[in-house]
């Protein structure tokens, strides 16, 4: 028996989560973010508030609650990730954050990873689509419309590793030699790659439920199971078992239908390196992706490059079983641009759009998308989106947000 919720239980949990946001004045904790966070958060908040006000005629509003993480937290509390911040996300069930620095030479390994792991936000969801007017290195960026589900809690990315020449790595190396006859060079660092059935099933189940809810017809399990047979190969196998055991009424594997799924969702698997090639050649064939942690990190950035960069690529970290979620800008802190009022707030704004949609506030979400489409199409953009365009007007961070707000108010 799986430790996860069943499919029906998960659907009910998702419905109950959305009911918890059925209030006119929810409190949402936010982390401003390091570096350009000082520029992009205030701009984004103006867009969020304008969308809510327009969509609901001032009958709804967000009570924004600032919580601390990153450099600002360290300066005030001597902690990179205070427990009070995690408690706030846990209490209110939702949050949003700007980019956070990774301490160099000390502190925790990654604040972003720590938030995901401590709150058990097992899905990293990256919806990736092109906005008309954005210059890209690819010929047909409009063919990219992919929602990527990346497992968030394990794999080598989770940081289970030991440093070369440390006493711990020597002890582990000796154990591996004596117990398994594994001949690993003595000057190696060693990382552990756990891939569990529990984490794999709940990630793939979430991707399949998303496909059902959003009328998608294709789910691809991306893996490197041809080489890592008992980790990523198992991820693939558990995914196919899940389709048969829980989703046979709405989905079918490629092998079981000979590529003719009828009106069911087609579930197939793709080797990770082949996938990176295929999203360049035929991205229109992919709609929903379920993959492991490290593969998802590579693939999400590669896909973002195809639609113009991570500056307009949003992200959300979600536990669909208990409803907890933290949405986030997907790019770095860009400290050399901090305070210059020129950074693109698009990733954070679109992450807010994801957040509203997750809350069931679809009207506000749609206004944000429409306003972003209009400003980009008309060339009213920040410097990064103006590059390569002869018809663009380069705007500051603040003025780009004003352009979006004016669009929203004019709809």
């Amino acid at each position: 028996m799986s430790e996860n919720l069943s499919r029906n239980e998960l659907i009910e949990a998702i419905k109950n989560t959305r009911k918890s946001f059925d209030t006119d004045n929810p409190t949402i904790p936010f982390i401003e973010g390091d570096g350009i966070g000082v520029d992009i958060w205030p701009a984004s908040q103006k867009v969020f508030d304008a969308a809510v006000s327009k969509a609901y005629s001032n009958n709804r509003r967000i009570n924004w609650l600032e919580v601390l993480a990153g450099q600002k937290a360290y300066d005030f509390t001597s902690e990179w990730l205070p427990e009070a911040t995690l408690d706030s996300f846990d209490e209110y069930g939702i949050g949003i954050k700007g980019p956070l620095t990774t301490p160099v030479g000390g502190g925790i390994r990654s604040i972003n990873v720590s938030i995901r792991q401590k709150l058990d936000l097992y899905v990293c969801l990256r919806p990736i689509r092109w906005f008309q007017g954005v210059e890209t290195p690819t010929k047909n960026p409009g063919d990219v419309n992919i929602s990527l589900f990346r497992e968030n809690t394990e794999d080598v990315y989770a940081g289970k590793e030991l440093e070369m020449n440390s006493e711990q790595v020597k002890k582990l190396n000796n154990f591996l030699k004596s117990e398994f006859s594994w001949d690993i060079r003595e000057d190696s660092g060693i990382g552990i790659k756990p891939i569990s059935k529990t984490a794999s099933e709940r990630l793939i189940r979430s991707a399949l439920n998303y496909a059902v809810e959003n009328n998608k017809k294709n789910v691809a399990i991306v893996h490197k199971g041809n080489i890592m047979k008992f980790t990523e190969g198992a991820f693939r196998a558990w995914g196919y078992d899940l389709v048969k055991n829980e989703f046979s009424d709405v989905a079918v594997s490629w092998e079981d239908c000979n590529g003719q799924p009828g009106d069911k969702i087609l579930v197939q698997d793709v080797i990770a390196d082949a996938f990176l090639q295929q999203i360049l050649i035929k991205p229109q064939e992919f709609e929903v992706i379920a993959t492991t942690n490290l593969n998802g990190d590579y693939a999400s950035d590669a896909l973002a490059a195809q639609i113009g960069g991570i500056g307009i690529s949003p992200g959300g970290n979600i536990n669909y079983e208990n409803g907890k979620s933290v949405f986030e800008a997907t790019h770095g802190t860009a400290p050399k641009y901090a305070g210059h009022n020129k950074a693109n707030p698009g990733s954070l704004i679109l992450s807010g759009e994801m957040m509203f949609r997750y809350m069931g506030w679809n009207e506000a979400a749609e206004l944000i998308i429409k306003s972003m489409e209009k400003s980009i199409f008309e060339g009213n953009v920040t410097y990064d989106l103006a590059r390569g365009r002869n018809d663009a007007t380069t705007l500051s961070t603040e003025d780009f947000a004003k352009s979006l707000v004016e669009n929203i108010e004019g709809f």
Side-chain angles (χ1 to χ4, degrees):
M1 182 70 178
S2 171
E3 297 177 28
N4 303 323
L5 300 180
S6 70
R7 176 188 168 200
N8 290 335
E9 289 172 333
L10 184 56
I11 291 171
E12 193 62 30
I14 293 169
K15 290 179 180 177
N16 289 335
T17 294
R18 289 173 180 164
K19 287 178 184 177
S20 70
F21 301 120
D22 187 18
T23 174
D24 293 335
N25 304 108
T27 296
I28 297 182
F30 73 91
I31 298 169
E32 178 184 71
D34 294 324
I36 57 173
V38 298
D39 301 306
I40 66 173
W41 172 257
S44 299
Q45 185 178 332
K46 289 182 173 68
V47 176
F48 301 152
D49 289 340
V52 171
S53 177
K54 178 70 174 182
Y56 308 112
S57 302
N58 294 312
N59 292 321
R60 284 180 172 176
R61 67 181 180 87
I62 303 294
N63 296 314
W64 298 106
L65 173 66
E66 183 173 12
V67 295
L68 301 180
Q71 189 65 54
K72 193 172 185 178
Y74 189 78
D75 292 343
F76 279 95
T77 69
S78 299
E79 296 180 274
W80 292 103
L81 180 58
E83 198 66 30
T85 295
L86 295 171
D87 290 343
S88 292
F89 286 143
D90 189 54
E91 176 184 355
Y92 294 105
I94 198 165
I96 188 167
K97 56 178 281 297
L100 292 173
T101 189
T102 298
V104 177
I108 60 180
R109 177 182 297 272
S110 166
I111 301 169
N112 294 323
V113 171
S114 293
I115 290 172
R116 296 165 189 166
Q117 291 181 342
K118 289 179 183 295
L119 294 174
D120 195 27
L121 305 176
Y122 61 86
V123 168
C124 178
L125 175 56
R126 298 282 181 88
I128 302 160
R129 54 151 292 187
W130 179 65
F131 287 88
Q132 188 174 359
V134 175
E135 291 292 314
T136 76
T138 54
K139 288 183 178 180
N140 299 302
D143 289 343
V144 177
N145 190 357
I146 295 173
S147 296
L148 189 146
F149 282 70
R150 168 190 173 194
E151 204 289 317
N152 238 354
T153 64
E154 50 186 26
D155 196 1
V156 292
Y157 200 99
K160 306 296 185 184
E161 59 178 359
L162 299 173
E163 186 179 5
M164 179 192 75
N165 290 334
S166 65
E167 289 303 313
Q168 294 94 332
V169 84
K170 291 177 183 177
K171 183 177 180 181
L172 178 58
N173 207 352
N174 288 335
F175 175 80
L176 295 174
K177 287 180 180 178
S178 63
E179 295 295 322
F180 299 103
S181 300
W182 290 2
D183 188 16
I184 299 173
R185 293 187 180 91
E186 292 183 359
D187 59 348
S188 297
I190 298 179
I192 303 295
K193 180 186 178 69
I195 300 288
S196 69
K197 183 178 182 182
T198 296
S200 300
E201 283 189 340
R202 65 182 185 173
L203 182 280
I204 297 168
R205 183 182 290 111
S206 297
L208 288 164
N209 272 326
Y210 179 91
V212 172
E213 282 194 295
N214 292 277
N215 297 314
K216 303 295 184 180
K217 301 305 294 181
N218 182 293
V219 175
I221 300 170
V222 176
H223 63 93
K224 192 63 179 171
N226 56 329
I227 303 300
M228 291 171 276
K229 300 184 185 298
F230 304 126
T231 51
E232 302 211 8
F235 179 84
R236 169 190 178 275
W238 293 324
Y240 278 139
D241 287 345
L242 195 68
V243 172
K244 292 179 182 178
N245 296 334
E246 295 184 20
F247 289 86
S248 60
D249 57 328
V250 292
V252 63
S253 71
W254 179 279
E255 295 173 349
D256 290 340
C257 72
N258 295 318
Q260 301 296 323
D263 60 354
K264 293 186 177 182
I265 297 167
L266 177 63
V267 182
Q268 57 189 319
D269 70 281
V270 188
I271 303 297
D273 47 328
F275 174 72
L276 292 175
Q277 174 184 242
Q278 289 177 26
I279 56 175
L280 286 171
I281 298 171
K282 47 183 179 181
Q284 70 276 9
E285 295 189 6
F286 298 98
E287 292 185 308
V288 179
I289 304 302
T291 191
T292 53
N293 202 332
L294 188 59
N295 288 333
D297 193 29
Y298 296 149
S300 59
D301 278 16
L303 283 165
Q306 292 182 230
I307 54 92
I310 56 176
I312 52 169
S313 298
N317 303 288
I318 303 168
N319 182 317
Y320 283 101
E321 295 185 345
N322 64 24
K324 311 296 183 184
S325 59
V326 177
F327 298 85
E328 63 181 352
T330 61
H331 50 71
T333 58
K336 70 178 181 178
Y337 295 115
H340 292 185
N341 193 27
K342 66 182 295 185
N344 180 1
S347 175
L348 186 55
I349 290 171
L350 291 171
S351 295
E353 183 272 336
M354 284 181 69
M355 180 182 73
F356 286 140
R357 208 170 291 280
Y358 182 72
M359 294 167 61
W361 291 26
N362 294 330
E363 299 85 358
E366 289 297 335
L367 285 171
I368 291 173
I369 289 293
K370 285 173 60 180
S371 66
M372 187 76 76
E373 288 175 336
K374 186 174 189 292
S375 283
I376 292 175
F377 179 74
E378 293 176 350
N380 298 314
V381 293
T382 49
Y383 78 98
D384 56 319
L385 298 181
R387 285 195 297 254
R389 291 185 64 172
N390 296 322
D391 61 342
T393 300
T394 301
L395 302 179
S396 67
T397 307
E398 184 178 4
D399 286 340
F400 180 62
K402 286 181 180 178
S403 172
L404 297 178
V405 169
E406 288 172 2
N407 293 341
I408 289 169
E409 292 175 345
F411 290 144

